[in-house]
Amino acid sequence: MTMRPFVIAAAAALLASTAVFAQQKQTVPAGKADAVIKAAFPTAPEQFLPRLTQDDTMKQCSASHNNPTKTVADEIQKREKATIEYPADGQFLGDWKKGEALAQSGYGLRFTDYPANRPNGGNCYACHQISKKEVSYGTLGPSLYQYGKLRNFAEADVKATYEKIYNSHSALPCSNMPRFGANKVLTIDQIKDAVALLMSPDSPVNKD
Amino acid sequence: MRFRNLFLTVLSVTSLFAFGAFAQDADTEKAIERYRQMLKEDPWSNPGLLDSDRGEALWKTPRGPKNVSLEQCDLGKGPGKVQGAFAELPRYFKDADRVMDVETRILWCMEQLQGFNAADLVKRPHPGGGQPVKELGAMATYVANQSSGEKFAAKLDQPKEKEIVALGEELFNRRSGPMDFACATCHAADGLRIRLQGLPHLSDPKEARKVIGEWPAYRVSSAHVMTMQHRMYDCYWQMRMPQVQLGSEASIALIAYLTKMAQGGEISAPGLKR
């Protein structure tokens, strides 16, 4: 009987020590990955060189495997929200037909896409269901079918949609979605077209 | 196998509207699965085996400025031992003082034994669509095929091996480029797809064991054998990064990490990919 607490304590100590042991993971020295990446692309043209370096948001999201602490998430959200540029005319809805075209296109920014022969695409269908007609869609992101209808086409949601596409981290820190506006993948007008695809009452996303 | 995952995804999906696409995807997967089954029944129908044969001939032919064959190349099990060598790669090589995957090691042998200039060979190392895999890739296919049926058994327990696996894991999760993509963006969860293409969950040993052993693989869409180094190059292309160099530490680190994840998985190279 008197032995029991001792046995429990010993077992607990053993468990704790194995847990510590299991956590002794091989670590990568700070700066090693940066150096290795810099060396891995020796033929990179000048304009590609910035891509070898991570900004603070990339660093924080990579380090946390896209699961930042609340403090870091707040920091990212604040920083990324500040990058958003709004349309000069205050209009968030563009042309949904152009939005559909850019949602289909994955063109742009790959090393085979230079010199560019057409505008960059958003490649939205790669990850999202959008209009009902397009059955070839990916599942990395949530379905956007009836996106506007489900939100009653509310004005606040139109703006929120623009912000989300412009810089997804402003809505969800460490989102997997590219920062289309902040990283100059899409222009402000193209983002408005994508917003129209999702939020226009006459877009097939909301009609069918 | 992937078909089963897909089926589970179909069951778990809540949107009714998605069903059409899943059914279509399932049909495509079913057809490919049937093709894979036919290949198993008649292995000689895999076009990738032609490249494996070409690789064997290249391996055994005296070539390069020194006009010798690669038959004395040490792939880790001693000079001249090809059978089973791929199953233990990547590994640390004392002569080169670095960890090498199969392609980097063959490149090393071509330089050391045959007198080729490695810098020339890595300038355009991968074939364009429809072109056959290049000589280095054909030899890698041959070497991998000589371990077909075996299980991945690279120990990766030497200090430099452990370091490079850890580095590979970090690179796998490293977001970069104008799209903020990392390998993990597409390959760190179950049952996801890009368009209709299923995405293997490569940081999960269960899934890595199923797919890593199929590389080098004959790729139906580009009509050639694609090696693992080419696969890395193609992923970085899609991530909007520049051209990753064959044999770079980053490429080897990623391959070492993926192989570690696939430890114990069966090698069936060259495999067949969409």
Side-chain angles (χ1 to χ4, degrees):
Chain A
M1 287 297 224
T2 50
M3 279 297 280
R4 194 176 288 165
F6 174 75
V7 171
I8 291 170
L14 188 68
L15 267 176
S17 69
T18 37
V20 167
F21 184 71
Q23 278 169 11
Q24 269 180 359
K25 234 184 131 178
Q26 182 77 35
T27 53
V28 181
K32 171 76 178 170
D34 292 328
V36 162
I37 285 294
K38 283 220 168 77
F41 302 92
T43 61
E46 183 95 31
Q47 61 181 334
F48 274 77
L49 295 181
R51 303 186 188 186
L52 306 184
T53 312
Q54 292 181 301
D55 69 13
D56 289 341
T57 295
M58 287 166 168
K59 279 184 201 160
Q60 288 168 320
C61 294
S62 303
S64 65
H65 291 198
N66 302 315
N67 192 14
T69 61
K70 174 84 171 69
T71 318
V72 174
D74 289 348
E75 187 190 320
I76 292 171
Q77 190 159 18
K78 193 174 158 210
R79 180 171 58 228
E80 297 302 328
K81 201 156 171 121
T83 67
I84 300 177
E85 284 176 47
Y86 293 90
D89 59 2
Q91 294 295 313
F92 292 111
L93 289 174
D95 177 347
W96 70 258
K97 287 192 184 114
K98 287 188 190 163
E100 167 70 17
L102 75 86
Q104 291 282 1
S105 166
Y107 181 82
L109 305 173
R110 297 166 299 202
F111 58 72
T112 47
D113 293 336
Y114 293 84
N117 60 30
R118 58 200 133 121
N120 293 342
N123 213 11
C124 316
Y125 281 106
C127 301
H128 297 281
Q129 180 186 31
I130 308 175
S131 71
K132 193 178 167 185
K133 202 177 78 193
E134 180 54 84
V135 295
S136 172
Y137 60 83
T139 58
L140 285 155
S143 170
L144 306 177
Y145 179 60
Q146 299 201 322
Y147 193 85
K149 200 174 174 180
L150 291 168
R151 286 162 179 76
N152 293 315
F153 307 107
E155 222 170 289
D157 283 311
V158 174
K159 186 181 177 213
T161 305
Y162 177 89
E163 291 172 334
K164 213 173 217 178
I165 299 173
Y166 195 99
N167 192 330
S168 55
H169 298 248
S170 71
L172 178 67
C174 296
S175 163
N176 272 332
M177 188 163 109
R179 293 171 280 178
F180 288 106
N183 281 350
K184 306 266 180 275
V185 177
L186 299 177
T187 64
I188 287 179
D189 283 338
Q190 284 182 303
I191 295 173
K192 286 166 68 172
D193 294 338
V195 173
L197 178 67
L198 298 180
M199 291 301 288
S200 272
D202 54 351
S203 160
V205 169
N206 300 310
K207 279 190 98 171
D208 297 333
Chain B
M1 291 301 198
R2 202 181 287 171
F3 177 66
R4 195 178 54 192
N5 284 343
L6 198 73
F7 184 68
L8 290 173
T9 316
V10 170
L11 286 180
S12 67
V13 102
T14 48
S15 167
L16 280 172
F17 307 104
F19 198 77
F22 278 111
Q24 184 181 326
D25 192 14
D27 283 349
T28 313
E29 277 297 329
K30 225 189 232 169
I32 295 239
E33 203 43 60
R34 219 167 22 238
Y35 191 11
R36 287 202 185 101
Q37 193 52 42
M38 283 161 71
L39 287 179
K40 261 192 185 154
E41 284 157 18
D42 178 14
W44 297 107
S45 59
N46 183 343
L49 285 171
L50 295 171
D51 296 294
S52 174
D53 283 354
R54 181 162 61 95
E56 181 175 9
L58 286 163
W59 186 265
K60 293 176 176 170
T61 305
R63 290 168 5 104
K66 296 186 188 167
N67 199 35
V68 292
S69 80
L70 286 177
E71 285 165 298
Q72 286 309 301
C73 176
D74 181 0
L75 293 165
K77 291 171 80 79
K81 193 135 174 26
V82 178
Q83 183 87 41
F86 177 75
E88 295 174 21
L89 290 170
R91 72 193 298 161
Y92 173 74
F93 287 91
K94 207 168 174 205
D95 52 10
D97 190 29
R98 59 191 290 226
V99 177
M100 293 168 149
D101 66 307
V102 65
E103 288 164 80
T104 309
R105 186 59 185 176
I106 296 172
L107 188 66
W108 163 270
C109 285
M110 289 172 82
E111 185 164 52
Q112 300 294 316
L113 300 181
Q114 298 181 312
F116 282 110
N117 183 359
D120 289 339
L121 294 172
V122 297
K123 266 184 198 148
R124 298 184 70 86
H126 309 303
Q131 293 168 348
V133 68
K134 301 216 171 175
E135 292 178 343
L136 173 58
M139 287 190 279
T141 309
Y142 158 64
V143 171
N145 183 245
Q146 289 295 302
S147 289
S148 215
E150 296 189 29
K151 293 194 159 58
F152 277 118
K155 289 194 189 78
L156 296 165
D157 60 354
Q158 299 300 305
K160 291 223 163 154
E161 295 173 345
K162 287 206 265 194
E163 275 167 34
I164 207 161
V165 168
L167 176 65
E169 182 175 11
E170 182 166 332
L171 296 180
F172 185 85
N173 289 290
R174 182 187 169 97
R175 299 183 71 164
S176 45
M179 302 293 220
D180 294 328
F181 288 153
C183 308
T185 306
C186 292
H187 296 291
D190 282 344
L192 298 176
R193 345 181 289 245
I194 282 190
R195 292 277 184 162
L196 294 181
Q197 173 72 62
L199 297 162
H201 181 175
L202 297 174
S203 49
D204 176 7
K206 191 164 60 32
E207 208 146 320
R209 277 185 212 119
K210 280 185 224 162
V211 297
I212 299 298
E214 294 175 344
W215 298 91
Y218 183 81
R219 234 174 156 225
V220 179
S221 57
S222 47
H224 58 213
V225 163
M226 185 183 244
T227 64
M228 198 52 138
Q229 282 277 351
H230 190 183
R231 183 60 271 181
M232 299 299 113
Y233 171 97
D234 206 47
C235 276
Y236 271 126
W237 168 77
Q238 195 62 271
M239 288 164 66
R240 274 70 179 175
M241 292 291 275
Q243 306 186 38
V244 70
Q245 187 160 64
L246 192 153
S248 58
E249 195 176 357
S251 67
I252 298 169
L254 283 167
I255 293 171
Y257 170 66
L258 294 174
T259 310
K260 177 80 181 173
M261 287 296 108
Q263 214 165 43
E266 193 181 315
I267 296 160
S268 55
L272 184 85
K273 294 285 174 186
R274 202 195 288 221

